[in-house]
Amino acid sequence: LHIFPNPFSDEFVVSLKLPTSAPKAQLEVWNAQGQMVHARTLAIPGNTLLQETITADGWPKGLYLVRLRNGNEEAWGKVLKVE
Protein backbone atom coordinates (compact mmCIF):
# COMPACT_ATOMS: atom_id res chain seq x y z
CA LEU A 1 0.00 0.00 0.00
CA HIS A 2 1.61 3.26 -1.16
CA ILE A 3 -0.01 6.69 -0.68
CA PHE A 4 1.10 9.82 -2.52
CA PRO A 5 1.51 12.75 -2.42
CA ASN A 6 1.94 12.82 1.32
CA PRO A 7 1.21 15.40 2.62
CA PHE A 8 -1.59 16.40 0.21
CA SER A 9 -4.00 19.32 -0.18
CA ASP A 10 -6.89 18.31 -2.49
CA GLU A 11 -6.47 14.67 -3.44
CA PHE A 12 -4.18 11.70 -2.99
CA VAL A 13 -3.58 8.38 -4.71
CA VAL A 14 -3.58 4.95 -3.12
CA SER A 15 -1.40 2.59 -5.14
CA LEU A 16 -1.30 -1.14 -4.54
CA LYS A 17 -0.49 -4.43 -6.15
CA LEU A 18 -1.78 -7.74 -4.82
CA PRO A 19 -0.34 -11.12 -5.87
CA THR A 20 -3.85 -12.63 -6.18
CA SER A 21 -7.19 -11.15 -7.18
CA ALA A 22 -9.45 -9.48 -4.62
CA PRO A 23 -12.98 -9.19 -6.05
CA LYS A 24 -14.40 -7.36 -3.00
CA ALA A 25 -11.57 -5.45 -1.34
CA GLN A 26 -12.72 -2.54 0.82
CA LEU A 27 -10.79 0.75 0.77
CA GLU A 28 -11.57 3.01 3.74
CA VAL A 29 -10.31 6.38 5.00
CA TRP A 30 -10.70 7.33 8.67
CA ASN A 31 -10.14 10.71 10.33
CA ALA A 32 -8.33 11.24 13.65
CA GLN A 33 -11.66 11.14 15.52
CA GLY A 34 -12.29 7.57 14.34
CA GLN A 35 -14.95 8.50 11.77
CA MET A 36 -14.97 6.87 8.35
CA VAL A 37 -14.89 9.65 5.75
CA HIS A 38 -14.54 7.53 2.60
CA ALA A 39 -15.35 3.93 1.68
CA ARG A 40 -15.30 2.10 -1.62
CA THR A 41 -15.40 -1.52 -2.69
CA LEU A 42 -12.76 -2.37 -5.27
CA ALA A 43 -12.37 -5.34 -7.61
CA ILE A 44 -8.60 -5.79 -7.78
CA PRO A 45 -7.19 -8.14 -10.41
CA GLY A 46 -4.24 -10.25 -9.34
CA ASN A 47 -0.69 -9.09 -10.07
CA THR A 48 -1.92 -5.76 -11.46
CA LEU A 49 -1.04 -2.27 -10.22
CA LEU A 50 -4.14 -0.39 -9.10
CA GLN A 51 -4.17 3.36 -8.45
CA GLU A 52 -7.23 4.85 -6.78
CA THR A 53 -7.52 8.65 -6.56
CA ILE A 54 -9.36 9.98 -3.52
CA THR A 55 -10.64 13.56 -3.54
CA ALA A 56 -10.74 15.18 -0.11
CA ASP A 57 -12.80 18.30 -0.80
CA GLY A 58 -14.25 19.65 2.43
CA TRP A 59 -12.08 17.49 4.67
CA PRO A 60 -10.34 19.44 7.45
CA LYS A 61 -6.57 19.39 7.59
CA GLY A 62 -5.09 16.67 9.76
CA LEU A 63 -4.04 13.03 9.86
CA TYR A 64 -6.06 10.33 8.09
CA LEU A 65 -5.69 6.56 8.18
CA VAL A 66 -6.19 4.51 5.03
CA ARG A 67 -7.19 0.86 5.35
CA LEU A 68 -7.46 -1.79 2.66
CA ARG A 69 -9.38 -4.89 3.78
CA ASN A 70 -9.53 -8.11 1.81
CA GLY A 71 -11.20 -10.89 3.77
CA ASN A 72 -9.14 -11.43 6.94
CA GLU A 73 -6.16 -9.46 5.62
CA GLU A 74 -5.70 -5.72 5.95
CA ALA A 75 -3.07 -3.07 5.28
CA TRP A 76 -2.89 0.41 6.81
CA GLY A 77 -1.32 3.67 5.73
CA LYS A 78 -1.27 7.28 6.98
CA VAL A 79 -1.73 10.47 5.03
CA LEU A 80 -1.63 14.11 6.13
CA LYS A 81 -3.93 16.79 4.70
CA VAL A 82 -2.51 20.31 4.72
CA GLU A 83 -4.00 23.58 3.48
Side-chain angles (χ1 to χ4, degrees):
L1 185 66
H2 180 68
I3 303 168
F4 61 93
N6 194 4
F8 74 99
S9 57
D10 297 322
E11 64 183 23
F12 61 95
V13 176
V14 177
S15 176
L16 57 112
K17 186 175 183 179
L18 300 178
T20 59
S21 64
K24 292 185 179 180
Q26 186 73 20
L27 181 64
E28 303 166 349
V29 181
W30 299 77
N31 65 19
Q33 290 74 40
Q35 300 165 319
M36 188 184 308
V37 295
H38 177 85
R40 182 161 181 202
T41 301
L42 304 172
I44 304 170
N47 204 28
T48 302
L49 181 65
L50 176 78
Q51 293 189 334
E52 182 73 18
T53 300
I54 298 174
T55 302
D57 288 337
W59 295 8
K61 64 181 179 178
L63 181 68
Y64 291 85
L65 299 176
V66 178
R67 175 169 71 170
L68 177 70
R69 289 189 303 150
N70 181 31
N72 292 331
E73 298 177 8
E74 58 183 44
W76 288 87
K78 296 178 186 177
V79 66
L80 182 64
K81 181 170 181 27
V82 294
E83 290 186 279

